[in-house]
């Protein structure tokens, strides 16, 4: 059984997971449900950290089944948690599949950008700003899906040349020899840093607007803020943080800190540039027509999301129908692969909501909330910001924001808070859950999606590397956010 249990995972990892499952039962009876729940959170984060050893849906799923088996939560409450996040699940299922059909257009645009913009510094800033602006008007997960798609596509081009007998730079040496070894590692490092700048950009833009992150919508609804008012209330914190984020990008790239700063190897640039030129020349009338359809779909996507004509998942499904109909993709086996990227992560997210339901049922965060509310109001926003940031980094920012805003709303309705105090705490909760949570992949759904995507193993992006690369951003964004909450709010 041990041979086949968890497949090719290392033996020590198999024993560790089995030890967790046995220990949790003993802990439940000896230490009680609350301590066991905290232990399970630690174990679940460990399974996420080991994502490259075994996809966390499998190991985290075993823990989730045990949570239900030990009655730390109920299937009914887990289902309630899933139903509250149905929009995120639909988004993942359909929007990511829609992006799959737009891959040729994305590759066409980004291969031009990658080869024409010679400065890595400029490219990094461009990625942060683009991801931030798109996340502010669309949403962070859709933008991350685009980044992953571009990363996989661009790596695919490199790999295609690397495994061929081409000599695109006409130097007499086969490209695969020039693109091996150190050049390949440098290319991976280049891709890693750009993608990480991009996902941090999604957090910088996502915090600013009503639609940027799921919890923003929830907080906005509770306080009756529309798109413009939400932006105006948040800008006292979000604008300085955005400027600080860009400054961090510049410093990280200039001084090559925390794994950033790798440039696209010149030999790789020339070879890829020549490859894209050949591809452009070879493009058939059918392929050109398909690019036009994808460009129309991209415009429809931006209009649909910016005007919020329907839930994001529905817009994604509509795009799949539009793209497949007009590009003539009518066979099930041609449509099926589009869903392969997102469904394992959707499964993992449902498992994650079981853990979130356990946190809720065992009232694990209640002592922290009670402590924050008992403090003098002059320091309450600061305490709320710190508590939200720390808890978001270990659990999930949407869940933490939901728990906190509900508690604060209850205090406001009971007459314990004035309207102004209520608004200040809401701003602290929103920024607290969005900014410091970039410290770990489990804090932000976009980061977790990237970590568990097909791109992560290609560019050697492990949990540890992600935490290391996100660390300077977490310190700067979290720190500047804290100073703004303390002195400007």
């Amino acid at each position: 059984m041990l041979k086949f249990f968890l497949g090719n995972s290392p033996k020590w990892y198999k024993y560790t997971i089995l030890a967790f499952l046995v220990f949790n039962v003993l802990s439940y009876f000896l230490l009680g449900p609350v301590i066991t729940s905290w232990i399970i959170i630690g174990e679940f984060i460990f399974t996420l950290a080991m994502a490259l050893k075994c996809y966390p849906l499998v190991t985290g799923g075993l823990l989730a089944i045990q949570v239900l088996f030990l009655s730390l939560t109920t299937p009914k409450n887990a289902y309630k948690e899933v139903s509250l996040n149905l929009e995120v699940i639909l988004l993942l299922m359909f929007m990511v599949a829609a992006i799959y059909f737009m891959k040729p257009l994305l590759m066409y645009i980004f291969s031009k950008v990658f080869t024409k913009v010679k400065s890595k510094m400029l490219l990094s800033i461009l990625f942060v700003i683009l991801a931030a602006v798109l996340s502010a008007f669309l949403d962070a997960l859709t933008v991350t899906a685009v980044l992953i798609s571009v990363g996989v596509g661009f790596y695919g081009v490199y790999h295609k040349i690397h495994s061929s007998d081409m000599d695109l730079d006409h130097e007499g040496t086969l490209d695969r020899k020039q693109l091996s070894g150190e050049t390949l590692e440098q290319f991976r490092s280049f891709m890693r840093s750009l993608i990480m700048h991009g996902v941090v950009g999604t957090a910088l833009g996502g915090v600013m607007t009503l639609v940027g992150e799921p919890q923003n919508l929830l907080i906005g609804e509770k306080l009756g803020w529309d798109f413009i008012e939400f932006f105006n209330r948040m800008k006292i914190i979000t604008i300085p943080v955005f400027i600080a984020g860009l400054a961090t990008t510049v410093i990280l790239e200039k001084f090559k800190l925390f794994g950033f700063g790798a440039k696209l190897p010149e030999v790789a640039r020339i070879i890829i540039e020549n490859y894209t030129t050949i591809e452009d020349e070879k493009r058939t009338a059918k392929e050109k027509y398909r690019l036009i359809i994808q460009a129309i779909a991209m415009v429809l996507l931006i209009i649909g999301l910016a005007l919020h004509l329907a839930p994001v998942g529905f817009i994604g499904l509509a795009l799949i129908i539009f793209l497949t109909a007009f590009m003539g993709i009518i066979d099930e086996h041609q449509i099926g692969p589009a869903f392969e990227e997102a469904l394992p992560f959707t499964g993992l997210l449902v498992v994650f909501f079981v853990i979130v339901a356990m946190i809720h049922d065992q009232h694990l965060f209640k002592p922290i909330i009670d402590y924050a509310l008992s403090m003098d109001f002059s320091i309450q926003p600061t305490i709320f910001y710190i508590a939200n940031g720390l808890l978001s980094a270990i659990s999930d920012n949407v869940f933490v924001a939901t728990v906190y805003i509900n508690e604060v709303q209850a205090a406001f309705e009971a007459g314990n808070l004035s309207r102004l105090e209520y608004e200040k705490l809401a701003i602290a909760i929103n920024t607290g859950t969005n900014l410091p949570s970039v410290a770990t992949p489990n804090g932000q759904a976009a980061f977790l999606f990237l970590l568990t995507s097909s791109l992560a193993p290609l560019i050697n992006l492990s949990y540890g590397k992600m935490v290391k690369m996100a660390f300077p951003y977490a310190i700067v964004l979290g720190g500047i956010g804290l100073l703004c909450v303390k002195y400007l709010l």
Side-chain angles (χ1 to χ4, degrees):
M1 187 189 83
L2 198 65
K3 184 182 174 185
F4 296 110
F5 177 69
L6 299 186
N8 296 326
S9 302
K11 257 191 180 163
W12 67 264
Y13 189 58
K14 296 181 184 188
Y15 286 130
T16 305
I17 297 299
L18 286 171
F20 284 170
L21 296 171
V22 173
F23 177 78
N24 292 343
V25 177
L26 296 172
S27 170
Y28 179 78
F29 291 108
L30 297 173
L31 303 173
V34 174
I35 293 173
T36 305
S37 299
W38 276 111
I39 291 167
I40 288 172
I41 291 174
E43 292 168 353
F44 188 74
I45 291 171
F46 174 78
T47 66
L48 295 176
M50 294 290 136
L52 297 182
K53 296 271 186 284
C54 172
Y55 193 70
L57 170 62
V58 182
T59 44
L62 287 171
L63 291 170
I65 290 169
Q66 190 173 47
V67 163
L68 293 168
F69 183 72
L70 294 172
S71 299
L72 295 170
T73 186
T74 62
K76 189 181 175 186
N77 289 353
Y79 179 78
K80 186 185 170 193
E81 210 58 59
V82 170
S83 63
L84 287 172
N85 290 280
L86 184 62
E87 200 167 329
V88 177
I89 289 167
L90 288 176
L91 182 157
L92 281 165
M93 285 168 66
F94 298 128
M95 188 56 80
V96 177
I99 300 295
Y100 172 89
F101 291 111
M102 291 155 80
K103 214 178 256 184
L105 177 70
L106 294 172
M107 279 312 302
Y108 177 77
I109 295 167
F110 278 90
S111 56
K112 294 275 184 285
V113 172
F114 276 139
T115 49
K116 294 286 184 286
V117 180
K118 300 276 194 288
S119 162
K120 172 71 189 305
M121 179 77 78
L122 191 61
L123 204 54
S124 300
I125 292 168
L126 195 68
F127 258 64
V128 175
I129 293 173
L130 243 154
V133 170
L134 288 173
S135 293
F137 291 99
L138 314 181
D139 70 278
L141 275 171
T142 306
V143 177
T144 308
V146 171
L147 286 172
I148 291 167
S149 200
V150 167
V152 170
F154 207 58
Y155 187 88
V157 169
Y158 190 98
H159 184 70
K160 196 172 180 181
I161 303 166
H162 184 244
S163 55
S164 71
D165 288 325
M166 294 193 246
D167 178 22
L168 291 168
D169 57 353
H170 312 297
E171 284 192 356
T173 311
L174 287 179
D175 291 338
R176 68 162 174 253
K177 286 187 178 173
Q178 290 174 279
L179 295 181
S180 296
E182 274 183 35
T183 313
L184 176 59
E185 277 315 304
Q186 195 182 332
F187 177 76
R188 278 178 171 153
S189 187
F190 164 79
M191 289 301 296
R192 258 200 314 274
S193 57
L194 270 188
I195 299 291
M196 280 302 290
H197 286 314
V199 286
V200 169
T202 66
L204 285 169
V207 66
M208 288 188 181
T209 63
L210 189 65
V211 297
E213 293 275 351
Q215 70 266 33
N216 301 16
L217 204 53
L218 175 82
I219 291 167
E221 277 174 9
K222 297 263 187 206
L223 283 109
W225 292 340
D226 61 16
F227 191 93
I228 303 295
E229 191 173 1
F230 188 95
F231 175 78
N232 285 333
R233 299 281 178 157
M234 295 298 158
K235 69 182 180 187
I236 195 164
I237 295 160
T238 55
I239 301 294
V241 166
F242 181 70
I243 294 164
L246 286 179
T248 310
T249 306
V250 171
I251 291 164
L252 291 173
E253 282 298 323
K254 187 168 179 58
F255 298 105
K256 296 183 165 65
L257 304 168
F258 293 94
F260 290 98
K263 293 180 168 60
L264 178 62
E266 195 53 40
V267 60
R269 181 193 301 281
I270 294 163
I271 290 169
I272 292 167
E273 209 167 306
N274 292 347
Y275 175 83
T276 49
T277 307
I278 293 166
E279 287 293 297
D280 287 350
E281 287 165 2
K282 282 194 328 198
R283 193 168 282 114
T284 62
K286 182 184 178 183
E287 286 169 335
K288 284 176 184 171
Y289 163 77
R290 284 187 164 188
L291 282 179
I292 294 165
I293 294 296
Q294 288 162 31
I296 294 167
M298 186 69 86
V299 173
L300 293 175
L301 168 68
I302 292 167
I303 292 168
L305 288 173
L307 300 178
H308 303 286
L309 301 177
V312 183
F314 283 14
I315 294 171
L317 183 57
L319 281 184
I320 293 171
I321 296 163
F322 173 81
L323 286 161
T324 50
F326 285 95
M327 292 198 302
I329 300 169
I330 53 170
D331 291 328
E332 188 186 355
H333 68 84
Q334 285 179 296
I335 297 170
F339 293 89
E340 284 175 10
E341 176 73 48
L343 279 182
F345 182 69
T346 310
L348 173 61
L349 215 56
V350 172
V351 162
F352 190 58
F353 292 137
V354 175
I355 305 295
V356 168
M358 174 192 77
I359 294 171
H360 191 262
D361 286 5
Q362 298 303 322
H363 308 293
L364 299 187
F365 294 167
K366 190 153 178 40
I368 305 166
I369 296 170
D370 291 344
Y371 170 74
L373 280 170
S374 70
M375 304 297 282
D376 180 59
F377 186 77
S378 60
I379 57 164
Q380 261 187 31
T382 311
I383 299 288
F384 265 70
Y385 178 89
I386 294 167
N388 277 271
L390 292 173
L391 294 176
S392 294
I394 62 165
S395 65
D396 161 56
N397 57 3
V398 179
F399 166 71
V400 173
T402 307
V403 172
Y404 267 82
I405 197 69
N406 286 340
E407 291 288 337
V408 170
Q409 187 184 23
F412 169 66
E413 286 169 356
N416 300 330
L417 292 172
S418 69
R419 174 71 192 185
L420 181 67
E421 290 169 342
Y422 180 33
E423 287 178 357
K424 282 188 176 182
L425 288 182
I427 295 167
I429 291 167
N430 182 60
T431 49
T433 50
N434 274 307
L435 297 172
S437 58
V438 301
T440 65
N442 29 302
Q444 295 254 0
F447 280 56
L448 191 58
F449 186 32
L450 173 63
L451 176 71
T452 56
S453 70
S454 56
L455 177 63
L458 297 180
I459 58 173
N460 288 346
L461 186 63
S462 63
Y463 189 98
K465 269 197 184 125
M466 215 164 173
V467 169
K468 177 191 164 187
M469 293 176 87
F471 178 74
Y473 277 116
I475 294 296
V476 173
L477 308 189
I480 299 293
L482 180 63
L483 291 172
C484 292
V485 168
K486 192 168 169 57
Y487 296 109
L488 301 180
L489 193 57

